[in-house]
Amino acid sequence: MTTRRKFIVETLTAAAASAVSIYPSGRKINKGLSSLGRALNESKSVNKPVVVSTWDFGIRANEEAWKTLSAGGRALDAVEKGVMIIEADPSITTVGYGGYPDRDGYVTLDASIMDEFGNAGAVAFLQHIMHPVAVARLVMEKTPHVMIVGEGALQLALANGFKKMNLLTKDSKQAWKEWLKESKYSPVINRNNHDTIGMLALDNNGNLSGTCTTSGIAFKYHGRVADSAIIGAGLFVDNEAGAATSTGLGESVIKSVGSHLVVEQMRNGKSPKEACEIAVKRIAETQKDYKTFQVGYIALNKHGEAGAFAIQKGFQYALYKDGENKLYDSDYLLK
């Protein structure tokens, strides 16, 4: 005799089996849910193109990226060209040429890039090449790998026409020599010694891409690599949901897989700012020393909405949309 309880269990089991046969992978089920979410929001207007980047030097980077976006170009090309402006500026001591060296006097660079198809490339501990973002793209498009580091990354760059150069400028060398007088390894995370440039863009075709590039914390341990080169930590792009990137203490971002967390929150319906705030609060919940450092996130969703959130006051981001390029102060946790 079939009891009511047994009937319910058998019915649910059959339904689950049917779902498995229809959606053999969780990703397909998630795609179905994502499609449902998009359908519920289909009336929402999309503002495009849009580009958003970290810190005040993002204004100049955005201007360069906008040239590509306003001409109908691809978001991937826009973000690469945008951050290259900052990588080439010797007055910016936290990115590319002119970046402060590690404690042994070597300038080592990290970068990552992602496109609308989920492809990714990264380089870490790269020396002698001004534009690590371009080498990261080379890894993505010309190799079967996601990350190449150190001497291998340099070899790849040189084999593909990149020019070897001395990245240590006179000013950065002098700052390093001053640091050597005490050699105190207690970096303060602020605008003076560590500010990654991360950039996210939505193009006229509705596609997202992003990049993140840095010279890392000033006078870091030789060989140190942080979040900027790590997909899911310093950068993550999912063309169904949104994109995110980070700045600040990279070790903290790695431990919380921050950019991926931000994107998943947007997938679940959070606004870009709300998603960034959740990721920052996750750090505060799990890392007891969070009051001693800075982490900031920026995010961009498929509707062209951007947002940011940081642990401490002072984080700024540049947003170019609707033909206007403006600098904004991010909201923050510690008030």
Side-chain angles (χ1 to χ4, degrees):
M1 180 177 178
T2 302
T3 64
R4 181 173 181 273
R5 181 186 295 272
K6 184 178 179 181
F7 173 77
I8 292 172
V9 170
E10 289 175 346
T11 301
L12 290 175
T13 301
S18 176
V20 169
S21 67
I22 297 172
Y23 301 113
S25 71
R27 179 63 174 168
K28 289 184 178 179
I29 294 174
N30 286 337
K31 278 191 174 182
L33 293 174
S34 297
S35 297
L36 176 61
R38 286 196 300 273
L40 292 174
N41 290 293
E42 63 182 1
S43 62
K44 200 169 188 179
S45 62
V46 178
N47 295 308
K48 57 187 181 181
V50 179
V51 60
V52 59
S53 56
T54 55
W55 301 108
D56 58 0
F57 45 57
I59 289 287
R60 286 195 293 123
N62 284 0
E63 290 287 348
E64 186 65 23
W66 193 258
K67 294 176 184 177
T68 297
L69 294 172
S70 61
R74 191 178 173 198
L76 182 69
D77 295 325
V79 297
E80 180 188 20
K81 292 175 181 177
V83 299
M84 285 175 72
I85 293 293
I86 308 306
E87 288 179 332
D89 188 340
S91 70
I92 297 173
T93 59
T94 57
V95 179
Y97 176 52
Y100 279 163
D102 62 24
R103 64 180 188 172
D104 294 338
Y106 299 99
V107 179
T108 67
L109 307 178
D110 306 329
S112 60
I113 195 165
M114 285 192 76
D115 69 11
E116 69 270 34
F117 303 110
N119 298 313
V123 291
F125 194 56
L126 175 64
Q127 299 181 56
H128 306 299
I129 302 295
M130 182 188 294
H131 293 300
V133 65
V135 187
R137 183 168 179 176
L138 182 65
V139 172
M140 179 178 74
E141 296 182 335
K142 302 297 184 181
T143 82
H145 308 301
V146 170
M147 181 185 289
I148 298 179
V149 306
E151 188 64 27
L154 177 59
Q155 290 175 1
L156 178 68
L158 295 177
N160 285 272
F162 288 81
K163 301 301 181 183
K164 188 174 182 179
M165 65 176 293
N166 177 20
L167 300 177
L168 185 63
T169 63
K170 180 180 178 180
D171 289 344
S172 291
K173 186 175 182 179
Q174 183 59 40
W176 171 61
K177 286 184 175 180
E178 287 296 318
W179 175 83
L180 283 175
K181 292 177 181 179
E182 293 187 5
S183 298
K184 186 178 181 182
Y185 190 70
S186 56
V188 177
I189 307 304
N190 57 32
R191 281 303 316 275
N192 297 321
N193 76 349
H194 180 58
D195 284 310
T196 304
I197 182 166
M199 177 178 279
L200 312 169
L202 178 72
D203 61 32
N204 279 318
N205 292 320
N207 290 321
L208 292 160
S209 291
T211 186
C212 189
T213 178
T214 188
S215 57
I217 293 176
F219 322 126
K220 62 196 176 186
Y221 277 84
H222 187 62
R224 180 257 191 186
V225 173
D227 63 314
S228 297
I230 299 177
I231 301 300
L235 174 72
F236 196 69
V237 177
D238 187 319
N239 209 39
E240 292 183 353
T245 188
S246 64
T247 186
L249 183 61
E251 284 79 2
S252 177
V253 176
I254 292 171
K255 287 185 282 188
S256 58
V257 199
S259 292
H260 182 268
L261 174 59
V262 172
V263 172
E264 287 304 294
Q265 291 300 321
M266 289 191 289
R267 183 189 300 283
N268 292 333
K270 300 297 184 182
S271 71
K273 179 186 174 182
E274 289 170 338
C276 292
E277 183 173 357
I278 288 169
V280 166
K281 288 181 175 177
R282 181 72 56 85
I283 291 173
E285 291 166 359
T286 59
Q287 300 178 36
K288 301 304 181 184
D289 60 341
Y290 73 96
K291 293 182 180 181
T292 67
F293 57 81
Q294 174 72 300
V295 167
Y297 293 102
I298 59 172
L300 178 64
N301 68 15
K302 288 286 284 187
H303 297 293
E305 298 167 330
F309 202 82
I311 295 176
Q312 313 216 28
K313 183 179 180 180
F315 175 45
Q316 295 179 305
Y317 64 100
L319 176 62
Y320 202 149
K321 66 183 298 184
D322 299 328
E324 188 174 24
N325 192 17
K326 293 179 62 176
L327 188 67
Y328 295 87
D329 293 321
S330 170
D331 198 0
Y332 55 97
L333 182 64
L334 297 177
K335 297 180 177 178

